Amino acid sequence: MLVVDIALVNLEFDGRRLVRRDRNAPTLILVGLPPQHVLEEVPAPLNTLPTTLGPMQAVTAGSTQLAFSVPADIDGLELSLASLLNWARLVPMTVPVGLRSPDTAGSTVFQGIPRSVIEFPTRLLITYDEPVDWVGRREPQQVDGRTALWHTRLHGARDGDVLLRAFATVANRSGLTANNPLTIETLEDIVTLTSRAELPGPVGSPPIEVPTAPLHAEQFIVTPMGASARLHGAWEPLPTGAQPQNPGQRLPNLATYDHITGLGRDQYIRVVSRGRLSTGHEALLVSELRRQFVARPNDGIVAYLQREDRVIVKQPEVPYGSGTGFTHEGREMPFRALRITDRVTPPLLQPVPVNDAFWVALQSTRDDYEFTLIGTDHEDRRVSFTMPLVFVPDGMDEAKKETRLKELYAGDLNAQTPSAVDLKLMSRMNRSMGGQVMALAQPPAGAPGSTTHAVGTLTFGLGVTGPAARPVVGLPHVSAAEVRVPAIEQFTPNAGYLAVRFNDTFLQQTMENHPAGAYLNLKKAVSLTFGAEKAGGVASPNAAVELITSQAGVIPNVFKTGPAGEVVDAIGLDDIKAAFGKAKLLGFIDLRRYLQNIAKDSLDTLRQLGDDRIEAILHASNGLLPAPVLRIRDLADGQGKELRYVWKTALGKRDTQQGDDSKDILDVSEAVLTLDARTIRSKDAVDKATVEGRLTNFKLNFGGMARVEIADLKFKTGPGKKPDVTATGLELKFSNELEFINSLRSALPADGFGGGAYIEVQPSGVHAGYKLALPAIGVGVFTLSNVSLGAELVIPFDGNPISFRFSVSERAHPFNVAVSLFGGGGYFSMLVDAKGVQQIEGAIEFGGSAALNLGVASGGVSVMAGIRFEYLAAEDRVSLGGYLRCNGFLCVLGIITVSVEFYLELTYEKHGRESVVRGKGRLTVSVRIAFFSKSVSLELERSFSGAPGDPTFADCVLPPHWHEYCPAFAP
């Protein structure tokens, strides 16, 4: 029951006793014991293993040597086992503090004297840290026929725990078993933290003060089969900011070490190492090893070692903000603090990397463990969510840590076709907020809630951003988000959550340095669905809004930024036009072609844009808003919200595009466009929407024949009210072929659309016009009667072009002209729009009649002739017709009556390039004699059609002939 080697130094046998050979030399007794520890293989969790397991690998410690000095007052020793095992009167020799290597490698001699060196646990060399003694029986102990295993117990000088010190690790033997918390790094930490040695700092810096403390041995018994021990060690962390001497050197991160063995075999090991979660929270990785007795079908009852790891959150809350290492002073992190509510995780997925960073995953689900976090935003709201985190041990070399974090965070969160790695990282970094309301930026003073949104998801990143982007523990930031923007939702159906990111100027220059106070950019600009009927037909803006500002609302991105995010100017005109998409003016005109450059100085108009400021701009004759503003605010009584879209911009001359030779119907070179739409939403009432649209100082040119000048066109509507549309300062002028109509303008009122005008507002558009019946006019021998003038302007809401119609009387009510016995009449109307003349219709007829009565005979005759013209652009049809109608009768004595009617009609029609001429004649003769009458009619009709390929006039007349022809008729 005893295996021991005993060596004597400076002792010799004199035949009776052991005595000193040299009284001035050290006298020692060296005791060699078998290995005191066996390091066993740790299998995977038993429920994941096959029913039969093979042998477990094991690594034994080296032999242990105890060195005892014989005190000077002992002049000799008995040469017996009992005397040599009586260590109570001897002095145990310890390794001096600061020494890590023996005088000769592989020996236990330090400074020329053998010392006590115990290898426990395997590969760790320990010695006494204070005076101790060994207590044990010198004779075999027998009870009931059984003999106890020889053992001796280490005893402290103060009858308490024995203090031990590790001074070195064994580096020249085979490695340790896998999946054991006692890694070589852990053993080295124990050496550093118990040896009372200093760590050298960087060159030129003082050494690092290591908070060393010895190991406490509640029990330490050595036997021939191994030690039965109970060890405990606990250490404070290293000073904040401690840096090693060499870049690749690792600093200790061990916090606690507990070890229980029985006869050299492990029963329980607990290693606690310090680290941080990727959010910066201080945490502990607790690795525990327990021996479990398990009954297995093919192995019987076995006692395997089983490992269990957990993460304990030591620092529940971490603050963020300026001065904490962020690139942009913490503006990229919308939370001022993050609190983790979890204190201890369930068991982690095996094997757990020791002294390496890893995603915290669970053994039970084999998936990431999602920590529960509560974030505090810039307005002290609490927002809760879950997120997987990475555990990063303290003491890792910075270069290695950065490399490892890049591997853990490898993947592209913005990949168009994500790989499996990308999808895994996306699931880890895109966290659902469930619509919780939070402030994404610090709101300006006096504007609480101006940066608040309901958030669907936040996409987190790790580390510093910018050109030198790199992962850094403790610097989480938000790289993207999905938020609700109520102002956009009211104008864009099915908007839902919108993807946003932080504005570059906000990040790099602060919100105050952005002219509009922008803090978010929509990742994809949103085109507003804003129907023309909501702006009175004046405009359908459809601007692509992109910037979310603190006080100006949501606006298009009209800002040009420099490399540092500073706003240097307004964007170019081409970019401004692109931002307005398919914006329309007056229902069909491309608004982009009339937009003008934005002056940089005018951008400051969007700064501090409160309601009073907006009203002042709208009422000022020279006030302008350089970009549309979409905003929402609380009502004064706090019972609802007001949504508002407002814009006031100056328009200019239309740009000319290559190959575009079309005539411009609209002249807005001096025009100003104003739109102000509001929707009030209260808790107990339906939405109340009011819209005001205004376009001033613009002109409409119709086919070069008519020109309408309008000083002010307004539209206003509200709940329960008829839309109010007014046009003031209207003037109508005709030109070219219709210039003669200007002579009749004196009959029109000065304000064509003022009092007495009609305005009809329908779902399809606005019809505004005037109809005037003129009194009979006498001009010399002529009498003009039944004359009416009409003008109508149509502004549609369905995207059709604006149109203008002018008429002189109508087909159903022609005007009349009379000169003595002769008379006639006619009508004329013209419809034009942006594409030109669409319809022209007119007719005129003239004739006379005479009667003769001679008593015996009487008779009469009438002759009428007329021309009718019609042009329809939609059908590409032109028709021209003329007729002659003659009537005559003769009555003799009332007995014989003869009447004759002659009708001749000639019509020309053209459809595209096909022409048709039709002629029709009819002669009717009626004779009545007394009671007998008879009528005879003769009819004739002919038509002539031209081929679709008939030559044109230009084909028939050569240019030289034409040049000769013209001077002949117009010298």
Side-chain angles (χ1 to χ4, degrees):
M1 300 301 172
L2 172 61
V3 179
V4 60
D5 292 331
I6 297 178
L8 305 177
V9 178
N10 196 32
L11 285 173
E12 60 182 0
F13 183 60
D14 61 359
R16 185 176 60 89
R17 304 175 63 200
L18 293 172
V19 298
R20 284 183 174 85
R21 184 178 296 151
D22 183 354
R23 299 193 62 85
N24 295 322
T27 302
L28 304 172
I29 296 178
L30 305 180
V31 178
L33 297 173
Q36 295 298 303
H37 184 248
V38 177
L39 194 65
E40 299 178 35
E41 178 185 354
V42 181
L46 295 177
N47 58 359
T48 65
L49 296 177
T51 56
T52 302
L53 289 178
M56 294 291 103
Q57 296 182 355
V59 178
T60 62
S63 60
T64 288
Q65 175 170 296
L66 303 180
F68 298 94
S69 174
V70 180
D73 58 353
I74 297 178
D75 56 358
L77 298 173
E78 294 294 331
L79 183 57
S80 65
L81 184 59
S83 176
L84 294 177
L85 295 179
N86 184 13
W87 302 337
R89 55 180 180 167
L90 304 179
V91 179
M93 302 296 292
T94 185
V95 176
V97 174
L99 297 181
R100 301 190 61 172
S101 301
D103 297 346
T104 302
S107 70
T108 61
V109 178
F110 293 82
Q111 296 178 342
I113 299 176
R115 311 285 180 166
S116 297
V117 175
I118 305 172
E119 185 174 338
F120 184 93
T122 302
R123 304 296 183 263
L124 180 67
L125 302 180
I126 62 175
T127 189
Y128 323 123
D129 197 55
E130 66 172 2
V132 295
D133 56 8
W134 290 91
V135 178
R137 294 179 180 273
R138 297 189 295 273
E139 301 292 339
Q141 180 183 5
Q142 293 183 343
V143 177
D144 296 333
R146 296 175 180 270
T147 302
L149 180 69
W150 176 87
H151 60 277
T152 182
R153 179 172 60 87
L154 191 59
H155 177 260
R158 295 187 296 272
D159 291 331
D161 292 347
V162 177
L163 302 184
L164 301 174
R165 169 170 43 88
F167 64 89
T169 60
V170 179
N172 57 353
R173 275 187 265 152
S174 60
L176 304 175
T177 57
N179 201 29
N180 195 301
L182 291 179
T183 63
I184 191 64
E185 291 85 2
T186 301
L187 300 180
E188 289 175 350
D189 285 356
I190 296 175
V191 172
T192 302
L193 295 171
T194 62
S195 61
R196 298 205 298 271
E198 292 181 336
L199 289 176
V203 178
S205 300
I208 301 173
E209 296 183 3
V210 179
T212 61
L215 290 172
H216 289 250
E218 178 184 343
Q219 178 190 73
F220 200 92
I221 300 174
V222 295
T223 74
M225 297 184 65
S228 295
R230 291 177 176 267
L231 299 184
H232 171 73
W235 301 273
E236 295 296 323
L238 267 64
T240 303
Q243 296 294 327
Q245 181 181 30
N246 301 317
Q249 184 179 352
R250 178 184 163 277
L251 295 178
N253 65 349
L254 188 62
T256 304
Y257 164 58
D258 292 279
H259 202 159
I260 299 175
T261 60
L263 298 180
R265 299 188 70 190
D266 294 324
Q267 304 301 319
Y268 177 78
I269 298 176
R270 184 172 185 261
V271 174
V272 180
S273 55
R274 292 185 178 88
R276 290 180 181 270
L277 297 173
S278 48
T279 50
H281 295 78
E282 294 181 14
L284 300 173
L285 176 61
V286 179
S287 301
E288 293 183 323
L289 203 64
R290 287 184 173 88
R291 188 172 297 278
Q292 295 183 1
F293 289 83
V294 180
R296 291 178 62 83
N298 301 323
D299 296 332
I301 298 179
V302 295
Y304 291 112
L305 289 175
Q306 290 287 275
R307 178 175 174 174
E308 198 172 81
D309 296 76
R310 287 179 170 85
V311 170
I312 298 177
V313 179
K314 186 179 180 183
Q315 182 185 12
E317 184 168 298
V318 171
Y320 306 104
S322 60
T324 56
F326 286 97
T327 305
H328 306 300
E329 297 299 320
R331 289 184 290 276
E332 61 267 59
M333 180 57 173
F335 295 113
R336 293 190 296 106
L338 281 180
R339 170 177 286 273
I340 296 181
T341 61
D342 307 85
R343 290 296 176 262
V344 182
T345 69
L348 304 185
L349 179 65
Q350 299 293 328
V352 175
V354 179
N355 297 306
D356 195 5
F358 61 91
W359 286 100
V360 179
L362 298 184
Q363 181 66 43
S364 58
T365 63
R366 306 186 68 82
D367 203 354
D368 294 330
Y369 176 69
E370 296 197 355
F371 290 83
T372 300
L373 296 96
I374 299 178
T376 303
D377 71 0
H378 292 282
E379 294 187 320
D380 291 328
R381 294 185 186 86
R382 302 292 190 270
V383 179
S384 63
F385 58 98
T386 62
M387 183 165 64
L389 299 176
V390 169
F391 179 85
V392 182
D394 289 347
M396 284 185 71
D397 173 59
E398 290 300 322
K400 180 181 178 181
K401 182 191 299 184
E402 182 173 333
T403 301
R404 182 62 179 142
L405 288 175
K406 287 181 179 179
E407 295 173 354
L408 292 173
Y409 283 87
D412 185 2
L413 294 176
N414 299 313
Q416 296 297 322
T417 55
S419 63
V421 175
D422 297 331
L423 291 173
K424 185 65 174 177
L425 185 63
M426 289 178 184
S427 68
R428 286 168 167 165
M429 308 309 290
N430 294 335
R431 309 314 302 165
S432 173
M433 298 292 117
Q436 297 178 88
V437 176
M438 61 174 289
L440 291 175
Q442 176 69 47
S450 59
T451 60
T452 299
H453 297 269
V455 181
T457 61
L458 290 179
T459 300
F460 286 88
L462 179 66
V464 297
T465 59
R470 67 185 192 282
V472 178
V473 175
L475 295 182
H477 61 268
V478 171
S479 59
E482 290 184 350
V483 303
R484 301 292 289 265
V485 185
I488 293 180
E489 290 180 359
Q490 302 308 314
F491 295 95
T492 302
N494 305 319
Y497 288 100
L498 300 176
V500 298
R501 62 175 180 83
F502 284 115
N503 178 264
D504 292 336
T505 303
F506 163 73
L507 288 178
Q508 301 182 58
Q509 299 290 327
T510 74
M511 187 187 302
E512 291 73 17
N513 287 331
H514 192 283
Y519 61 97
L520 289 179
N521 279 35
L522 293 170
K523 284 191 173 182
K524 183 178 181 181
V526 175
S527 296
L528 300 180
T529 303
F530 198 86
E533 70 278 5
K534 294 183 179 179
V538 174
S540 175
N542 295 332
V545 292
E546 183 178 350
L547 298 186
I548 302 176
T549 70
S550 58
Q551 290 180 277
V554 188
I555 63 175
N557 188 4
V558 295
F559 306 93
K560 182 179 181 181
T561 57
E566 72 280 11
V567 176
V568 297
D569 203 348
I571 60 176
L573 186 57
D574 290 341
D575 294 327
I576 294 175
K577 294 176 181 179
F580 281 82
K582 298 180 180 180
K584 298 296 182 183
L585 191 64
L586 297 177
F588 74 102
I589 300 172
D590 191 350
L591 177 61
R592 297 174 301 173
R593 303 190 66 178
Y594 299 92
L595 296 174
Q596 303 299 301
N597 280 308
I598 299 175
K600 180 184 178 182
D601 295 341
S602 68
L603 297 177
D604 288 333
T605 307
L606 300 172
R607 191 186 305 275
Q608 302 296 328
L609 197 62
D611 292 332
D612 294 340
R613 175 68 174 156
I614 291 178
E615 294 302 322
I617 292 173
L618 295 181
H619 289 90
S621 59
N622 59 346
L624 297 174
L625 280 175
V629 173
L630 195 63
R631 53 192 283 133
I632 185 170
R633 70 177 182 89
D634 293 324
L635 297 178
D637 58 4
Q639 298 302 311
K641 294 183 179 294
E642 180 190 72
L643 308 169
R644 190 175 189 184
Y645 177 96
V646 60
W647 185 29
K648 186 178 181 183
T649 185
L651 304 178
K653 187 177 180 181
R654 186 185 76 161
D655 64 349
T656 56
Q657 300 179 357
Q658 186 176 3
D660 182 9
D661 57 355
S662 61
K663 295 182 179 180
D664 194 1
I665 187 176
L666 183 66
D667 181 1
V668 290
S669 56
E670 300 177 357
V672 175
L673 173 65
T674 304
L675 290 175
D676 189 1
R678 307 188 193 200
T679 299
I680 296 177
R681 176 161 294 172
S682 59
K683 296 180 180 178
D684 303 324
V686 297
D687 293 353
K688 298 179 180 179
T690 59
V691 181
E692 294 185 30
R694 186 176 187 181
L695 184 62
T696 62
N697 300 323
F698 70 100
K699 306 172 183 65
L700 298 170
N701 296 299
F702 294 100
M705 297 183 180
R707 178 183 178 92
V708 179
E709 297 180 359
I710 302 178
D712 197 353
L713 178 63
K714 296 181 180 179
F715 173 90
K716 184 176 182 180
T717 185
K721 297 180 181 179
K722 181 180 178 180
D724 181 15
V725 181
T726 59
T728 59
L730 182 144
E731 186 174 3
L732 175 61
K733 295 181 180 180
F734 295 92
S735 57
N736 297 328
E737 292 84 352
L738 300 180
E739 189 173 2
F740 72 93
I741 303 177
N742 288 330
S743 61
L744 299 176
R745 289 181 62 246
S746 59
L748 287 172
D751 187 354
F753 292 156
Y758 69 87
I759 296 179
E760 297 178 0
V761 180
Q762 302 174 357
S764 60
V766 175
H767 296 250
Y770 198 95
K771 290 184 178 180
L772 177 67
L774 300 181
I777 302 174
V779 183
V781 297
F782 291 92
T783 300
L784 185 64
S785 62
N786 200 32
V787 177
S788 64
L789 299 179
E792 183 179 57
L793 182 67
V794 179
I795 303 175
F797 295 155
D798 54 5
N800 290 323
I802 190 172
S803 63
F804 176 76
R805 184 178 186 272
F806 175 78
S807 65
V808 179
S809 297
E810 298 290 346
R811 179 193 298 183
H813 302 284
F815 60 81
N816 296 322
V817 179
V819 182
S820 184
L821 298 177
F822 302 98
Y827 62 91
F828 173 82
S829 66
M830 178 184 67
L831 176 66
V832 293
D833 61 14
K835 299 178 181 179
V837 178
Q838 297 300 311
Q839 181 181 12
I840 298 177
E841 183 180 22
I844 188 169
E845 66 176 8
F846 196 83
S849 61
L852 179 64
N853 191 344
L854 299 177
V856 176
S858 62
V861 64
S862 65
V863 178
M864 296 295 293
I867 297 176
R868 182 178 181 275
F869 173 79
E870 183 180 22
Y871 167 69
L872 291 176
E875 299 179 9
D876 193 15
R877 179 168 63 88
V878 178
S879 64
L880 175 65
Y883 70 92
L884 173 64
R885 183 172 64 244
C886 300
N887 291 304
F889 73 95
L890 176 63
C891 180
V892 179
L893 298 176
I895 299 174
I896 299 174
T897 303
V898 179
S899 62
V900 179
E901 180 183 11
F902 175 73
Y903 180 81
L904 180 63
E905 177 184 343
L906 183 64
T907 303
Y908 169 80
E909 294 182 1
K910 184 176 183 180
H911 296 270
R913 297 189 62 183
E914 183 177 359
S915 302
V916 178
V917 177
R918 290 188 178 90
K920 181 178 181 181
R922 184 178 68 249
L923 175 63
T924 303
V925 178
S926 298
V927 178
R928 184 172 64 86
I929 301 175
F931 303 103
F932 172 79
S933 64
K934 181 67 174 178
S935 297
V936 177
S937 296
L938 299 177
E939 294 186 1
L940 179 65
E941 182 175 352
R942 293 288 187 270
S943 63
F944 307 91
S945 298
D950 285 347
T952 64
F953 180 80
D955 295 331
C956 297
V957 180
L958 297 177
H961 297 169
W962 177 249
H963 294 318
E964 295 178 2
Y965 179 84
C966 289
F969 286 85

